[in-house]
Amino acid sequence: MSQQENIAAQAAFGEAVVTGNLDDLAGIVAPDSIDHDPAPGQAPGPEGYTAMFGELRTAFPDLHVEVEHLVVTDDELAFAYTITGTHLGSLMGRPATGKKVSYRGMQISRFDGDGKLVERWGSSDELGMLRQLGLAPV
């Protein structure tokens, strides 16, 4: 894929997450997609991403992802981002705190020739997010 096609595929993935249209991930993520950094208990393929981001969107209905730095090749796309939101729903079995969070992360995505996500590497500051919510010791 070209660099612009990689950007468009990643933008479609991000749009599905931010808008909550998680069913769209089935058309963006390959069925045999590999997540090298899955969430605990995350299933493979589009179902795993749908469940993981569904929980995140339940916890943070105003979820926003701001891409701050982007590097693209014909094969891969890497970006740094900041996630913000207000904890208004259950997260990992914990009730809403009403607190706002802001935490950073990075991701590398690889798409196939059809624009489907086939591999993902990523890391976000989940401990920092839990600390902001008062759900982890400082």
Side-chain angles (χ1 to χ4, degrees), residues 6-48:
N6 280 330
I7 292 169
Q10 186 64 58
F13 186 99
E15 182 74 13
V17 170
V18 170
T19 62
N21 295 326
L22 299 176
D23 290 341
D24 292 351
L25 294 176
I28 302 165
V29 177
D32 58 349
S33 177
I34 298 169
D35 189 340
H36 294 281
D37 301 296
Q42 180 180 332
E47 296 82 13

Side-chain angles (χ1 to χ4, degrees), residues 32-114:
D32 58 349
S33 177
I34 298 169
D35 189 340
H36 294 281
D37 301 296
Q42 180 180 332
E47 296 82 13
Y49 289 105
T50 299
M52 175 184 62
F53 287 114
E55 180 179 10
L56 195 61
R57 292 218 24 93
T58 296
F60 302 99
D62 62 346
L63 179 80
H64 180 72
V65 180
E66 181 71 31
V67 175
E68 296 172 351
H69 188 74
L70 177 68
V71 177
V72 184
T73 71
D74 289 344
D75 299 315
E76 297 174 320
L77 179 144
F79 60 99
Y81 57 86
T82 298
I83 293 176
T84 56
T86 310
H87 186 212
L88 299 175
S90 176
L91 177 67
M92 296 184 264
R94 303 277 184 89
T97 64
K99 295 180 180 180
K100 293 186 180 294
V101 297
S102 178
Y103 60 102
R104 303 207 53 211
M106 297 186 76
Q107 180 172 310
I108 301 170
S109 303
R110 189 171 69 80
F111 296 92
D112 66 13
D114 295 325

Side-chain angles (χ1 to χ4, degrees), residues 121-136:
W121 297 261
S123 180
S124 60
D125 184 14
E126 293 170 7
L127 179 58
M129 178 259 299
L130 292 171
R131 285 180 172 161
Q132 291 174 51
L133 296 175
L135 301 177

